[in-house]
Amino acid sequence: MKRNGYHKIFSGLALLLLLAMPLSLAAMDSEYCLMCHGDADMLGDSLAIDMATFDTTGHAELGCITCHDSITEAHPDDAVAVSRAVCLDCHDDLGSQYMMTEHANYATCGDCHNPHEVRSLEAMAGYDMNEKCSQCHMQEEMLEGHAEWLPQAGLHLAKLPCVTCHTGSENYEIVLNIVQRQEEKLLSPFVLPEYEALKAVSGDAPILSLIDTNADNFVSLAELRRFNQNPVYKNLRLEGTLVPSDTSHELSTLDSRYDCTFCHVSGPGSLQTSFLAIPAAAGGYQRVAV
């Protein structure tokens, strides 16, 4: 009995000591790091991370210390430099493709992809994909170059992500987005709206309910027609983009891309797979089969 009593006392003291110890590395998850790094007022924009955006990335599932493994319990007071993982440690397949391209002489992974914001293809709109390319490739210059051989070059560049033609991806699918008039005027241009703008239209109901009226998480052709013909949604419409269904950093233009029938013919498999991309509250998009 006496030994059991000592054992209980010792166990209680050990528990108190454990609770009093600094937070261990094993317990340092992203939520803990973002207590400081989620506050731009505290650390400034260069070190701040948007929590809502980061949560929608695949990197969020790994946790901060997976890529920043030099962090200690005493950070930042220990003055230890924060390490950064090399992208190719995980993405060696894409890296080997990219390093064979001319782009590798001018841009690193981080120049195009912010690791705290990067999303998968499924969580992006086709229109968003071109933002990376436009950082170096000016629109007027690209339009002039494509117009030398491509009919309606402006329309093609506006409706197709660059990676649809300028990567080695061989599998494609159609992604539909709901676009909205910039102003409630007949000739006002349609733009890709933010989540809040479409939520204002759907009200208490999910945005998807604007089209998926029977709430079966599948969009039929009949539902697409009803949405397009509904006068209530005169300031909304659907626009489709042809996007790769797999990620490739082999930045080449396959011969088939110069053939109009790659897109403009009835029957190719790339035109038989379609999704509706609905903006998510936390950022990015959720796809629903059409």
Side-chain angles (χ1 to χ4, degrees), residues 2-285:
K2 196 171 184 181
R3 287 188 62 183
N4 287 340
Y6 284 136
H7 178 72
K8 289 179 179 179
I9 293 172
F10 178 79
S11 298
L13 289 173
L15 179 61
L16 289 174
L17 287 172
L18 182 64
L19 293 175
M21 288 174 62
L23 190 68
S24 69
L25 281 177
M28 286 180 65
D29 57 13
S30 298
E31 185 177 354
Y32 178 78
C33 298
L34 290 172
M35 289 172 61
C36 293
H37 285 278
D39 190 340
D41 292 334
M42 178 189 297
L43 298 180
D45 292 337
S46 62
L47 294 176
I49 296 170
D50 184 272
M51 291 184 287
T53 301
F54 181 61
D55 281 344
T56 65
T57 69
H59 290 153
E61 299 175 8
L62 300 176
C64 299
I65 60 172
T66 300
C67 295
H68 304 293
D69 58 6
S70 68
I71 297 294
T72 71
E73 299 95 326
H75 177 78
D77 297 329
D78 56 9
V80 174
V82 177
S83 60
R84 297 182 181 181
V86 177
C87 300
L88 300 187
D89 288 345
C90 294
H91 304 286
D92 57 335
D93 53 340
L94 296 178
S96 61
Q97 293 176 356
Y98 182 72
M99 294 306 293
M100 297 297 292
T101 70
E102 188 178 353
H103 280 72
N105 296 322
Y106 301 99
T108 65
C109 303
D111 290 325
C112 296
H113 304 294
N114 183 331
H116 301 120
E117 298 178 0
V118 65
R119 297 188 176 105
S120 65
L121 283 174
E122 293 76 16
M124 296 179 67
Y127 305 94
D128 296 336
M129 297 177 187
N130 283 351
E131 290 183 1
K132 309 302 181 185
C133 305
S134 63
Q135 294 180 57
C136 297
H137 300 283
M138 299 297 101
Q139 184 176 5
E140 290 184 8
E141 181 182 347
M142 292 301 101
L143 179 59
E144 182 179 346
H146 283 77
E148 293 177 0
W149 63 273
L150 180 64
Q152 299 190 66
L155 183 62
H156 280 89
L157 295 186
K159 302 302 181 185
L160 284 175
C162 303
V163 293
T164 297
C165 296
H166 296 287
T167 66
S169 298
E170 297 185 0
N171 299 310
Y172 292 83
E173 55 207 17
I174 294 176
V175 176
L176 300 170
N177 289 96
I178 302 175
V179 293
Q180 188 176 36
R181 288 189 196 276
Q182 199 167 18
E183 300 175 7
E184 292 194 14
K185 298 178 181 179
L186 183 61
L187 298 179
S188 178
F190 284 83
V191 297
L192 195 65
E194 299 288 343
Y195 168 84
E196 291 77 11
L198 288 181
K199 198 69 183 71
V201 178
S202 66
D204 295 333
I207 294 174
L208 181 58
S209 67
L210 298 176
I211 300 177
D212 182 23
T213 53
N214 62 1
D216 65 350
N217 210 41
F218 179 83
V219 177
S220 67
L221 291 177
E223 287 173 322
L224 288 178
R225 292 191 189 97
R226 282 197 294 270
F227 174 79
N228 284 331
Q229 296 170 0
N230 191 335
V232 174
Y233 305 135
K234 63 181 181 179
N235 291 319
L236 301 176
R237 74 180 186 194
L238 293 169
E239 285 191 356
T241 53
L242 186 67
V243 302
S245 55
D246 53 80
T247 304
S248 172
H249 282 64
E250 185 181 348
L251 305 178
S252 58
T253 304
L254 303 180
D255 289 341
S256 61
R257 305 306 186 269
Y258 294 101
D259 188 338
C260 299
T261 60
F262 178 72
C263 295
H264 298 284
V265 69
S266 176
S270 59
L271 303 184
Q272 306 307 314
T273 303
S274 302
F275 297 93
L276 174 66
I278 297 294
Y285 293 81

